[in-house]
Amino acid sequence: MLRKSRSTMISGVIAGALLVTAPLSALAAAVPGSSEPITSQEVVALLSAAGSKAGSSLSFQMNSTGTVTREALAVMLGSSLKLTDAKEPFADVPDDSIAAGAIGALREKQLLEGTSDDRFEPEAYLTKGQAQVVADRVYAYLKPFDVMETTIADIQKAVSQGKLTYKELTQQYLDRINKYDDQGIKLNAVITVNSGALQTAEALDKERAEKGVRGPLHGIPIIVKDNYATGDLLTTAGCLCLKDAVPTHDAEMVKKLKDAGAIIIGKANLDEFALNITGVSSLGGQTLNPYALDRNPGGSSAGTGAAVAANFALAGLGTDTGGSIRIPSSYNSLVGIRPTVGLTSRDGIIPLALTQDVGGPMARTVTDAAILLGTSAGYDADDVATAYGVGRSKTDYTKDLDVNGLQGARIGIATELIGTKPSEQPVSNLINVAVEDMKKLGATAVPITIPNLADIMKYPSLSGYEFKSQLNDYLAKYQPNAPFHTLTEIINSGQFYKPNEATYKLRDTRDLESQEYKDIVLKRTKLTRDALLKVMADNNLDAIIYPSTSETTVVLGEASKAGSNNRLSPYSGFPAISVPAGFTEEGLPAGIEFLGRPFDESTLIKFAYAYEQGTHKRKAPALLP
């Protein structure tokens, strides 16, 4: 492991979605004049233009004139691209055919498919529509791989085409961390870099070559918030008091990602012990916002948010007690999923308040977030809350990705949560546009009033009551060799973020036997759940939306103005997803949040994906090219 020196199993559906190109006959219809045969001269011109656009000097030539058969195209492409012959599966292609090896190679590289799963139709004429599809694929194949804003699907395709290895990919991410986090603008998003990441990536390259891939996350670098226990890396919660502490074993969610082939590239900075929402800790310092270096990135999953936005990893894990996944997702133009409490295991996550705590993915796209969620969800005998998710969780949420997912949906607009103050107007304007966009995408927008909203919002977070006892339990189980074993000992050490001292001392006096605490647990949860379920039932709603944060991020040092919208999900335990809603005139990101019924992540993912694909609001930070 390397601390940075600053404060000193693929399922059939996923495989199909990521690795298999659809038959040409299903893709060509959208091209004008697609059914007309194309001539050899036109094919050569089309492919040459594609190669030139990709920056390639390859030459495409055909000796024949007139129309082109699919077999002739395969021979020409196999020769021009210098592909190694491969076995093909088509019943109508003889094994001794001159084109058989090229057809197999092109299918393997996802450049030329059959007209169906078992037929290639070698003598059929190539149409203009099919030729355009092939040219687009050749362009993508020849174009150099770019790590910026890449996706899991992009990576797996590039690896399958021989353009990239997982080791090379990991090195590219490490280079960006070195360039922008260790020096230059010094984003301060990463506390610890995994010095074994390249070795792990190399082993996963070898495993792929010998056995195939474990699943879509095979070889994918992921950054993890530094309150997730990692048995081979420091786990500090951002606190100097744990600066040399390595847990005995991985948190369950981390274990699931590793088992799926993911590479934990490093541990992300956070608000110390996930206590605040501005991104500062005694060990990691202040994380900056990659869109505006004088602003905070939100928190407490600050480092995860900034790192994923800055393309330091493909995606990451955050935790959310109040709004700690969704606030930094909003401020960093990311997709952040706060799952239903019980969908993912909290065991091995340094707790803030287990009644509200949950771990979830942060990614640049809904698709990638859905893949991480499915991989990390499921029952864990060491977290009894996950027993509620048995039979209600999935291992594959990509099945819910539907570009038309908002058609016919009834979406409740929580009008009371859309701010009217001048300082709230920039975000509110974006949300109003988002509502109109959803209408255009087929949704019915229903203005709603959430019952008892004012009373719900009066309740405090339970972190003030649960933190001490649950932190002490975690240290005893996961980090018994740490220098300090209780919150009291940490306070006495003085090795922590000093502005938190009064809060730590107050929480050290609290216990779980107080009547005040019991009243909050019993009354607040029921009040919030009843209100949300009633308004959804009364209005026949599929989900509720509102701004993820009332205002945009503030200048470093100022008090956060994220607002209290984010409380509805943790107070009820219901799932919520924050999705990029665009940028204000100042160039600051904001998010829109979808909230749904318990364990109905599928519906939220469907809506979020349809909105994302219908608007494409995310942009990479210009400060980190």
Side-chain angles (χ1 to χ4, degrees):
M1 72 192 70
L2 173 65
R3 176 178 301 127
K4 312 221 335 279
S5 57
R6 58 173 66 101
S7 30
T8 137
M9 137 203 3
I10 276 185
S11 73
V13 172
I14 296 180
L18 297 180
L19 301 178
V20 177
T21 305
L24 289 179
S25 57
L27 297 172
V31 182
S34 61
S35 60
E36 298 176 12
I38 192 168
T39 67
S40 58
Q41 293 92 334
E42 290 171 325
V43 167
V44 169
L46 195 60
L47 293 173
S48 296
S52 178
K53 183 181 177 183
S56 171
S57 60
L58 280 178
S59 174
F60 296 91
Q61 296 181 352
M62 295 192 77
N63 295 324
S64 61
T65 59
T67 53
V68 180
T69 65
R70 288 166 52 81
E71 180 181 63
L73 175 69
V75 173
M76 185 269 280
L77 277 178
S79 175
S80 298
L81 297 175
K82 300 178 174 59
L83 302 180
T84 302
D85 286 354
K87 186 174 178 58
E88 49 73 29
F90 303 110
D92 58 349
V93 177
D95 291 341
D96 59 355
S97 166
I98 190 173
I103 290 171
L106 289 165
R107 183 178 183 276
E108 188 178 77
K109 299 296 185 183
Q110 302 165 51
L111 295 171
L112 184 61
E113 260 289 354
T115 56
S116 66
D117 289 342
D118 61 355
R119 293 190 62 80
F120 185 77
E121 297 189 25
E123 299 303 321
Y125 288 121
L126 186 73
T127 69
K128 290 182 178 180
Q130 292 170 348
Q132 183 62 61
V133 173
V134 172
D136 290 343
R137 293 177 184 170
V138 168
Y139 163 74
Y141 175 75
L142 293 175
K143 184 180 67 171
F145 174 79
D146 186 359
V147 74
M148 290 295 293
E149 299 296 287
T150 192
T151 66
I152 293 171
D154 292 338
I155 290 167
Q156 299 297 9
K157 185 172 184 177
V159 175
S160 70
Q161 292 180 335
K163 295 167 61 174
L164 180 73
T165 67
Y166 298 126
K167 185 177 181 180
E168 291 168 345
L169 172 70
T170 303
Q171 185 64 64
Q172 290 184 46
Y173 282 128
L174 291 172
D175 289 345
R176 288 189 59 78
I177 293 171
N178 179 63
K179 182 177 181 180
Y180 293 117
D181 211 58
D182 293 341
Q183 54 188 317
I185 65 174
K186 294 187 177 180
L187 205 60
N188 271 7
V190 185
I191 287 182
T192 301
V193 170
N194 182 359
S195 59
L198 289 174
Q199 183 178 0
T200 301
E202 189 172 19
L204 287 164
D205 279 318
K206 182 178 180 181
E207 181 181 326
R208 178 181 177 124
E210 295 177 350
K211 301 177 182 179
V213 295
R214 301 184 196 181
L217 286 180
H218 187 108
I220 303 295
I222 302 295
I223 189 127
V224 175
K225 187 177 181 179
D226 202 20
N227 59 348
Y228 281 83
T230 45
D232 54 349
L233 294 171
L234 298 167
T235 300
T236 72
C239 186
L240 283 167
C241 62
L242 296 176
K243 64 184 179 66
D244 296 316
V246 178
T248 55
H249 56 293
D250 290 332
E252 179 65 15
M253 287 183 69
V254 172
K255 180 181 181 298
K256 285 180 180 291
L257 291 186
K258 286 184 176 180
D259 288 347
I263 300 166
I264 308 303
I265 198 169
K267 306 295 289 294
N269 194 21
L270 66 158
D271 287 275
E272 188 170 289
F273 284 113
L275 197 64
N276 296 305
I277 53 174
T278 56
V280 61
S281 68
S282 61
L283 184 62
Q286 173 69 65
T287 298
L288 308 182
N289 189 307
Y291 290 93
L293 301 179
D294 63 338
R295 308 282 182 126
N296 79 58
S300 62
S301 305
T304 305
V308 174
N311 289 271
F312 292 172
L314 186 285
L317 289 183
T319 63
D320 193 311
T321 304
S324 292
I325 285 175
R326 294 158 294 143
I327 294 171
S329 292
S330 177
Y331 288 172
N332 290 278
S333 195
L334 297 176
V335 177
I337 302 180
R338 178 191 159 92
T340 308
V341 174
L343 188 81
T344 56
S345 171
R346 288 93 38 94
D347 191 60
I349 299 174
I350 298 177
L352 188 58
L354 286 175
T355 300
Q356 298 172 202
D357 287 349
V358 68
M362 300 170 70
R364 293 184 293 271
T365 69
V366 175
T367 301
D368 290 347
I371 291 171
L372 258 71
L373 183 65
T375 304
S376 57
Y379 177 67
D380 176 14
D382 289 327
D383 182 359
V384 68
T386 59
Y388 292 93
V390 172
R392 306 172 78 179
S393 65
K394 294 183 177 181
T395 58
D396 181 11
Y397 286 96
T398 64
K399 295 177 181 178
D400 303 305
L401 302 173
D402 181 0
V403 72
N404 299 313
L406 281 166
Q407 290 186 7
R410 287 181 60 83
I411 307 295
I413 316 302
T415 54
E416 294 168 284
L417 300 182
I418 301 176
T420 57
K421 298 177 185 176
S423 59
E424 297 171 329
Q425 206 59 53
V427 171
S428 299
N429 290 341
L430 293 176
I431 300 307
N432 291 332
V433 170
V435 171
E436 293 304 312
D437 286 335
M438 289 185 206
K439 290 180 182 178
K440 294 175 184 177
L441 292 168
T444 298
V446 184
I448 60 169
T449 298
I450 298 173
N452 302 313
L453 182 63
D455 291 334
I456 292 169
M457 294 301 186
K458 289 177 183 177
Y459 280 102
S461 170
L462 290 173
S463 57
Y465 299 86
E466 299 181 359
F467 177 59
K468 176 188 73 172
S469 61
Q470 293 171 357
L471 171 64
N472 294 349
D473 290 343
Y474 164 86
L475 290 171
K477 179 178 179 180
Y478 273 88
Q479 299 188 236
N481 296 321
F484 309 106
H485 306 93
T486 64
L487 178 57
T488 302
E489 291 182 10
I490 291 171
I491 293 170
N492 291 338
S493 76
Q495 297 184 43
F496 54 83
Y497 183 55
K498 290 303 189 288
N500 288 353
E501 184 168 10
T503 301
Y504 289 156
K505 287 182 175 180
L506 175 61
R507 294 184 178 189
D508 201 36
T509 66
R510 296 269 180 82
D511 62 58
L512 304 183
E513 299 304 318
S514 70
Q515 190 59 46
E516 182 182 26
Y517 168 70
K518 294 176 181 178
D519 286 345
I520 296 171
V521 172
L522 292 173
K523 297 177 181 178
R524 188 194 71 179
T525 303
K526 184 178 187 305
L527 184 68
T528 310
R529 289 179 176 177
D530 287 352
L532 293 173
L533 291 176
K534 177 174 173 55
V535 75
M536 293 185 76
D538 287 349
N539 293 278
N540 190 27
L541 302 178
D542 299 300
I544 298 171
I545 61 170
Y546 44 84
S548 302
T549 55
S550 300
E551 299 185 28
T552 56
T553 180
V554 297
V555 173
L556 294 172
E558 290 186 5
S560 174
K561 298 177 182 177
S564 55
N565 294 358
N566 46 66
R567 295 181 183 180
L568 289 176
S569 177
Y571 284 9
S572 63
F574 295 177
I577 300 179
S578 180
V579 186
F583 294 79
T584 67
E585 291 183 359
E586 291 184 275
L588 299 175
I592 187 166
E593 188 164 318
F594 293 77
L595 181 140
R597 293 179 174 85
F599 296 102
D600 198 15
E601 280 79 3
S602 290
T603 296
L604 298 185
I605 287 170
K606 178 174 69 173
F607 294 162
Y609 180 75
Y611 173 72
E612 172 196 61
Q613 295 300 304
T615 60
H616 296 286
K617 297 292 187 179
R618 171 170 167 80
K619 294 185 294 187
L623 298 172
L624 294 88

